[in-house]
Amino acid sequence: MSKSKVPTATNTISNIKNADKENVSSSSLFDQQYSLITVINDAHDEGIWSVIWTKATNRIITGSLDDKLKIWNSDHYTLASTLTGHSLGIVSLTTSQQGLEFASSSLDNQFRIWDLKLAIPSIIHVINAGSAEAWKIAFSPDGKYIASSSHSGNINIWNAVTGTKKTTIITKGTFGMSITYSPNGMLIAMGTENGIVFVYDAVFGTLRCTFKNHKKPVRAVVFSPNSNMLASASDDNTINLYELSGSRQSCVCTLKGHTSWVLCLSFSSDGIHLASGSSDKTIKIWDVEKKITQINNNNNNSNNYNNNNNNNNNNNNNNNNNNNNNNNNNNNNNNTYNPDGLKLVSVAEDGTMIIHKTTTQQTAVESNDNNTAITPSKEINDIRK
């Protein structure tokens, strides 16, 4: 690969109710890749901060500042059950790799482990983590442990079977704002308030590498499905991609295009797409695979779909368009792909949840600088009621 040109991620989209007819007709690539399935207004009474899509049980779970957890049927997107118990807002959700358990952390300084094998999930453990000792949480792939980031910057490792603390990894960092396990279970990554990303050996707790490429807090970290790459999202409006598989771990690319804080990241199951959500009210879809494997000389066009229609039907090509953007006022707080990567769910500060259908068709665009990615090729604004 040429050092002077780093191919970029390709597509930028976000959640819509109905796309503008004129723009849709001139952008068949977007229609082929992402289409609206449904919009659920008032999924929660307050902002939704976290969402997960479980594997074996195939459920969507949302956690909100209204103190509630909601379990959604992923076939018809209807509410299956509401779980209570947390006394303050839900900050973070995580699920085991098999999807038979999930955990929730809250502003009440507790995190709870739930059994998903029953129609109505039951409590396995209620863990009093201590003040700000379980901000963001992440299940280990084998389901035996849960890692939590903390206000002190340390990483706490909890035994998910017994509900007790196993160990604490001293990081010498600041407030841990994001945390994740690698899919192979070998690494733990944490993003901090001062913009540093730490990567630790998950077995021995030793520091593997430190990345200081962000200038502001890191709100999301996620590993690629093969565990060879790490992505981080920051309040500096950028996403960094780090190569971990070689002898020298390094930042290989910075994805630029968001105009405000980047709040969440999710890899598709095939590792080709990376979805990023931002307080600029958009979700961007980046083609990670083609960014790092080849250069295509396609034009870098960024199309904005500014349309607002309060009809909740499932057809994003509806011709009854209302070109009014006054309702576009909500952050994309979290998003995640379903286990097979064919759907994407996003949640927002206004309590809305939106489901998209995806495909695997790709194109690529060309970058301008080493370690810099220009804006992807497609973008539509997040339009919510």
Side-chain angles (χ1 to χ4, degrees), residues 45-109:
D45 295 332
E46 297 186 41
I48 307 173
W49 277 18
S50 192
V51 61
I52 53 176
W53 201 318
T54 64
K55 190 172 183 181
T57 51
N58 196 28
R59 301 181 191 178
I60 301 170
I61 305 173
T62 53
S64 168
L65 291 180
D66 64 10
D67 312 343
K68 296 182 180 66
L69 296 160
K70 292 190 176 184
I71 315 296
W72 303 86
N73 182 308
S74 61
D75 294 324
H76 305 291
Y77 313 108
T78 54
L79 182 63
S81 59
T82 298
L83 306 179
T84 59
H86 284 295
S87 59
L88 291 173
I90 313 301
V91 173
S92 179
L93 297 174
T94 182
T95 181
S96 60
Q97 195 169 65
Q98 291 186 336
L100 300 178
E101 303 87 19
F102 81 97
S104 56
S105 67
S106 166
L107 295 170
D108 62 13
N109 298 322

Side-chain angles (χ1 to χ4, degrees), residues 7 35 88 108 162 171-172 202 222 225 248 257 271 274 277 340 368 379:
S35 58
L88 291 173
D108 62 13
T162 65
T171 70
K172 297 181 180 180
V222 63
R248 181 182 178 185
L274 177 68
D340 62 14
N368 50 3
E379 176 179 339

Side-chain angles (χ1 to χ4, degrees), residues 113 127 144-146 157-166:
I113 303 176
I127 300 171
K144 294 181 179 180
Y145 304 104
I146 294 176
I157 307 296
W158 307 83
N159 188 314
V161 178
T162 65
T164 58
K165 186 186 291 188
K166 177 179 182 288

Side-chain angles (χ1 to χ4, degrees), residues 100-102 113-118 120-124:
L100 300 178
E101 303 87 19
F102 81 97
I113 303 176
W114 306 79
D115 187 346
L116 272 173
K117 293 186 288 293
L118 303 175
I120 300 178
S122 59
I123 284 284
I124 300 174

Side-chain angles (χ1 to χ4, degrees), residues 55 95-98 138-143 180-189 202 221-231 244 267-269 271:
K55 190 172 183 181
T95 181
S96 60
Q97 195 169 65
Q98 291 186 336
F139 250 111
S140 63
D142 60 11
T180 188
Y181 270 94
S182 62
N184 64 10
M186 301 303 294
L187 301 172
I188 298 173
V221 285
V222 63
F223 285 95
S224 61
N226 63 9
S227 301
N228 290 336
M229 179 172 288
L230 176 70
L244 303 176
F267 268 105
S268 60
S269 57

